[in-house]
Amino acid sequence: APAGAAARHTQMLRDALARWDGVELVDQFQVEDALQRESAPPTLERVAALTRRLGAGRFVRGRVTVTDGRTHTQVVLYDINGPVALLEARAPIADAVPEATRTLESIAAQLLLRAPGPEVDAFVRRGTARSVPAAQAWLQAQASLREWDLARADAEFAAVTAAMPTDAAAHLWLAQVRAWRGRPVDTWAGAVARATAGDTALGSRERVLRVGLQALADGDFERACRHYAQLAQRSSGDFAAWFGLGQCRTLDRVVVR
């Protein structure tokens, strides 16, 4: 691949990594100076030794190739002990800067979080503060939800809200999990209020879930049912919508009795 493209993508990936809180990168000029002083070929072992001398524990190596007119990048994260490959990410890179930036931001997140692209992309697209511990807790909470381990998801979403107190989606899902667990309303109504304060940061589906939860918290079960039914009609496979619909109908019957 052209040297210019490789250098440009390297800088864009570095910038993407630097946007994460708590991530320390070795000064670029130090790296370049150390590489220039190396007379032997930069084998993995030599790069690992160089990385150790610079005071870092991990390093990234990448390759840019052009196939059938399309540019592709391959990036591997290594631990200096071994060295051992921890994660590999591959993706086509668009020529346009905005698209290339999004791709390299996704790769940076995958390297830092050591998680699959789609899950990481969903977190990055939310546009919240980029904290590695908070992102890891978010991904773990989502995994707990898929496994229907609500107690663990509760603790993990609580960890996200502690790390990112203005994250509306984290507060929404903390409230949702607690409602699903049948916890008292006063243990999750505050989280709904904080999600409401950041409503504009929520997706359209999450906004409907938030309104449904608020209605449940207010004891307005008819309004809650209307919103959950709206969501179920929009997507017949939406578990949260159907669960919420069943929950509001059950609570409404209890009140009527």
Side-chain angles (χ1 to χ4, degrees):
R8 184 170 63 254
H9 293 157
T10 298
Q11 184 59 54
M12 292 169 73
L13 179 61
R14 183 182 179 85
D15 292 344
L17 290 167
R19 279 191 276 273
W20 284 79
D21 296 337
V23 175
E24 294 184 22
L25 302 177
V26 176
D27 182 80
Q28 185 174 356
F29 295 107
Q30 279 187 278
V31 174
E32 291 175 354
D33 180 64
L35 287 171
Q36 288 173 1
R37 292 173 184 273
E38 289 287 319
S39 56
T43 63
L44 279 179
E45 290 72 18
R46 288 183 178 277
V47 174
L50 183 150
T51 302
R52 184 179 284 106
R53 289 200 302 273
L54 292 173
R58 294 176 180 176
F59 64 95
V60 172
R61 294 194 82 176
R63 183 175 64 171
V64 176
T65 58
V66 177
T67 306
D68 297 329
R70 297 194 68 188
T71 303
H72 297 260
T73 188
Q74 174 191 11
V75 181
V76 184
L77 173 68
Y78 291 93
D79 188 285
I80 60 173
N81 297 309
V84 177
L86 301 175
L87 185 136
E88 178 181 325
R90 300 169 180 256
I93 301 286
D95 293 331
V97 172
E99 288 81 358
T101 298
R102 281 194 291 272
T103 299
L104 289 164
E105 284 185 344
S106 172
I107 288 175
Q110 291 175 58
L111 296 177
L112 291 173
L113 303 175
R114 295 167 63 183
E119 294 180 17
V120 168
D121 290 345
F123 180 85
V124 171
R125 280 197 302 270
R126 293 167 57 234
T128 55
R130 298 189 180 182
S131 156
V132 172
Q136 289 172 333
W138 173 270
L139 294 175
Q140 289 164 359
Q142 293 293 332
S144 296
L145 274 184
R146 288 192 296 272
E147 296 166 7
W148 202 241
D149 188 340
L150 297 183
R152 193 173 68 182
D154 187 325
E156 288 159 348
F157 279 124
V160 180
T161 61
M164 300 192 297
T166 60
D167 188 326
H171 286 292
L172 168 69
W173 286 102
L174 177 61
Q176 182 66 84
V177 166
R178 289 181 175 176
W180 281 343
R181 294 183 69 194
R183 298 281 301 278
V185 171
D186 60 8
T187 67
W188 52 268
V192 177
R194 286 184 281 276
T196 301
D199 189 72
T200 55
L202 298 175
S204 59
R205 173 177 178 267
E206 290 179 323
R207 283 196 290 273
V208 177
L209 289 174
R210 195 272 304 163
V211 173
L213 278 172
Q214 185 64 66
L216 287 178
D218 294 341
D220 190 345
F221 305 124
E222 182 180 348
R223 182 162 65 98
C225 284
R226 282 201 309 271
H227 282 87
Y228 287 126
Q230 171 192 338
L231 201 57
Q233 288 173 357
R234 188 185 303 173
S235 175
S236 61
D238 192 323
F239 171 81
W242 287 108
F243 195 104
L245 193 56
Q247 196 171 25
C248 69
R249 286 173 174 170
T250 298
L251 291 170
D252 200 22
R253 284 196 295 271
V254 170
V255 170
V256 169
R257 289 174 186 170

